[in-house]
Amino acid sequence: MYAVSVSPSLLPRSWWWQSVVSGVLASLGYVVGVVIESAGTLILRLTDLTISASPATETGLRWAAFLIFMIWFIRSVVQSFIHARSAAQLVDMPGPRISSIVLGLLGAFVLFHVIIGVLDALLWMLATLVTFLARWIPVWIALAVGCAIIVALLILLTSKVIIAGGVTFFSRKAWEMNNRTAKGIFRPEVPERSGSHHSLVSWASVGGQGRVFLGRGPSRHDIEEVTGREALEPIRVYAGMPTGGQTLADAADMVVRELERTGAFERAVIAVNTSTGSGWVDEWEVQPLEYLACGNCATASMQYSYAPSSLHWMTGLDHCVEAAIMLYQAVKKAVDGLPANQRPALYITGESLGAFASQAVYTDLADVMRQVDGALWVGTPSFTPMHQELTEKRHRGSPEVAPVVDNARHVRFATGPEDLRHDIYGRELGPWHFPRIIYAQHPSDPVVWWTGRLAWYQPDWMREKAGRDVSPSMEYTRIGTYLQVLADLPVAGRAPGGHGHTYHHELIPMWKELLGLGDAERPNTLPDGQWADDAMLRRIGHAISANIALSERQ
């Protein structure tokens, strides 16, 4: 199991995080070995079976078995090290070095002994309980009662103490972070932004992530300088965490009032973005639209929690879904209240937990196409029902990392921009009708591929080996692969753009295709889009990178 732990996974890890993975898997392997040994001993005892050999033969067999195992083990570790370095190159990250392997091994050794020590303590407690209870009840009943007590104690400690305490601690930290303003972020002056002096929403109320969203982004002059075309000031509206007896419905209504105040319903496009758990909105989902629409657009979002997405996965997702429904329905009702020929095109977007929650707004794909002009879902978590259903309906011959569904008439899964017009094997896709839905998902993104079924069943994406940035040397091991991909989650957002859970430049051409720029059948009043060629998309990408970097440096 240690050899499995250092074999290639989706993303390379630091030595200390690798120590955790290796220590847990090695402990699991040890426990399985002890169980097999105990079961074998019991069978031999019950069957009266004995195996004997001369002392010399026994010694020779022991040494032969030990040497064969060590040769295999060393070969496996060295091979895993070589393959892990090759896997790291596929995601443009540094591979493991000899020093990190050694440090990881030492850390795993320490953690292994800690885990085994805890298990030994639990077994000692169980033996003590059984001995005590066996004075009054049969041994087998005492064993059952003792096991029940130990399990109940573990559940109490993990759920009520460790998890609940951790959630409380991190929630408090998240609340503290929410009251801070990131470096380089300043209150907007233009009336087209929430939080400005003209806004119904105060700068203090939008929270830390809201201030980042409202304090970044291109101005009208920035867009004109990059595109060479006349532009409008892009609109961004945001409502912070409901407080003082307010509800999510009140926050959604405030977003609509801000859209009305800024004149957003007179723009060509309104994008409803479901934020992640802490209220974060990815600039790479918003700025491409603002440049490509020449500012003739509005983006609306709101905060529903202080806690990061990982805590919501542990404590429940209902709150996220409720917020997504409230926000979308409030905006949709306002749009539908306009004359049919004056309605802006309505798009819905979300990343990670935001992608999950925004898809929960709709009953199925047909419902999405009835209600919106397009959707961009980025890094959709594996447990999202609509994503699962569409993936299962994919055409034979299309891999799980990039399914082709219903001849790609409306929905397209893209590991990169090239997958919007061709499947992952380079075969040209048919006509793409409106409304268009895009699932952006990297083969190396553990958020998309980690699931409970991974513990016991090999997924299609591993069997098919179709992911461009996933090592073909990655092999499936029950439980082992599950824990490896789980351990990839915390480092997924640190991967370079285009890999892991980091989606950057590829979202620009995706927005272009989603809007139908350059397509005669586009369903909105945007410019024809012929100006947005590949060179222009690169200029927009550089401008977005510079805008984000500038705010971080200030």
Side-chain angles (χ1 to χ4, degrees), residues 347 434 514-529:
Y347 289 80
F434 295 94
L514 193 66
L515 295 168
L517 297 186
D519 194 316
E521 298 180 3
R522 65 191 184 283
N524 53 54
T525 57
L526 289 171
D528 59 25

Side-chain angles (χ1 to χ4, degrees), residues 122-427:
L122 291 173
L123 288 173
W124 176 83
M125 290 174 60
L126 177 60
T128 303
L129 275 172
V130 171
T131 302
F132 176 76
L133 294 173
R135 299 175 183 176
W136 299 282
I137 57 179
V139 174
W140 66 273
I141 297 179
L143 180 61
V145 172
C147 288
I149 292 173
I150 295 297
V151 170
L153 180 63
L154 287 174
I155 293 174
L156 178 66
L157 286 175
T158 53
S159 62
K160 300 298 184 181
V161 179
I162 299 175
I163 294 179
V167 168
T168 301
F169 173 80
F170 285 111
S171 295
R172 184 168 60 250
K173 289 294 183 183
W175 180 83
E176 293 173 359
M177 290 294 295
N178 188 67
N179 292 325
R180 300 177 186 174
T181 301
K183 291 178 62 177
I185 298 299
F186 305 98
R187 186 178 187 180
E189 299 295 332
V190 294
E192 289 83 1
R193 298 285 180 109
S194 293
S196 67
H197 296 286
H198 310 270
S199 175
L200 302 172
V201 177
S202 70
W203 182 241
S205 71
V206 297
Q209 296 292 3
R211 288 191 281 273
V212 171
F213 170 64
L214 297 170
R216 280 180 175 171
S219 66
R220 174 175 65 87
H221 298 293
D222 294 331
I223 296 173
E224 289 178 342
E225 184 177 351
V226 171
T227 64
R229 302 174 66 86
E230 186 176 351
L232 299 174
E233 187 72 34
I235 295 171
R236 292 190 180 194
V237 302
Y238 191 95
M241 186 74 177
T243 57
Q246 293 181 326
T247 65
L248 291 173
D250 295 328
D253 289 340
M254 179 56 73
V255 169
V256 173
R257 291 172 61 191
E258 279 287 276
L259 289 172
E260 292 170 344
R261 179 190 66 79
T262 55
F265 293 110
E266 299 171 10
R267 296 295 175 94
V269 174
I270 292 180
V272 178
N273 183 288
T274 303
S275 66
T276 60
S278 60
W280 176 72
V281 178
D282 185 6
E283 285 295 303
W284 289 94
E285 286 185 56
V286 181
Q287 290 197 35
L289 169 63
E290 293 172 334
Y291 278 101
L292 293 170
C294 294
N296 192 9
C297 60
T299 303
S301 188
M302 73 180 198
Q303 186 178 17
Y304 52 84
S305 171
Y306 301 124
S309 299
S310 55
L311 290 187
H312 284 281
W313 289 359
M314 297 170 61
T315 58
L317 302 170
D318 293 343
H319 198 56
C320 319
V321 172
E322 181 186 4
I325 293 173
M326 291 289 184
L327 177 61
Y328 172 76
Q329 290 183 345
V331 176
K332 176 65 173 173
K333 181 179 179 181
V335 170
D336 289 346
L338 300 172
N341 61 346
Q342 297 179 19
R343 295 172 186 168
L346 185 60
Y347 289 80
I348 190 161
T349 67
E351 180 171 338
S352 193
L353 187 61
F356 162 80
S358 63
Q359 289 176 59
V361 172
Y362 312 98
T363 55
D364 53 25
L365 181 62
D367 190 31
V368 178
M369 293 191 294
R370 281 193 300 268
Q371 297 200 47
V372 298
D373 294 282
L376 175 61
W377 286 313
V378 180
T380 300
S382 57
F383 51 77
T384 307
M386 190 183 300
H387 181 273
Q388 289 179 336
E389 180 183 354
L390 292 173
T391 302
E392 290 171 359
K393 290 182 177 179
R394 69 186 185 276
H395 294 178
R396 291 183 61 185
S398 67
E400 188 175 12
V401 294
V404 176
V405 181
D406 190 29
N407 291 319
R409 289 186 177 91
H410 291 281
V411 61
R412 299 201 172 177
F413 291 79
T415 64
E418 60 276 8
D419 294 343
L420 296 177
R421 293 295 176 176
H422 300 82
D423 71 7
I424 201 168
Y425 300 115
R427 296 170 295 200

Side-chain angles (χ1 to χ4, degrees), residues 90 399 401 415 424 442-444 461 464-472:
L90 293 175
V401 294
T415 64
I424 201 168
H442 296 148
S444 58
W461 60 268
E464 293 160 345
K465 299 187 182 299
R468 298 186 183 97
D469 59 352
V470 176
S471 172

Side-chain angles (χ1 to χ4, degrees), residues 432-445:
W432 195 2
H433 304 293
F434 295 94
R436 292 175 174 178
I437 294 95
I438 296 176
Y439 282 94
Q441 54 186 40
H442 296 148
S444 58
D445 185 353

Side-chain angles (χ1 to χ4, degrees), residues 489-511:
L489 290 172
V491 299
R494 280 178 281 196
H499 305 289
H501 198 57
T502 307
Y503 298 83
H504 285 171
H505 290 264
E506 67 262 48
L507 298 185
I508 303 172
M510 288 184 186
W511 260 115

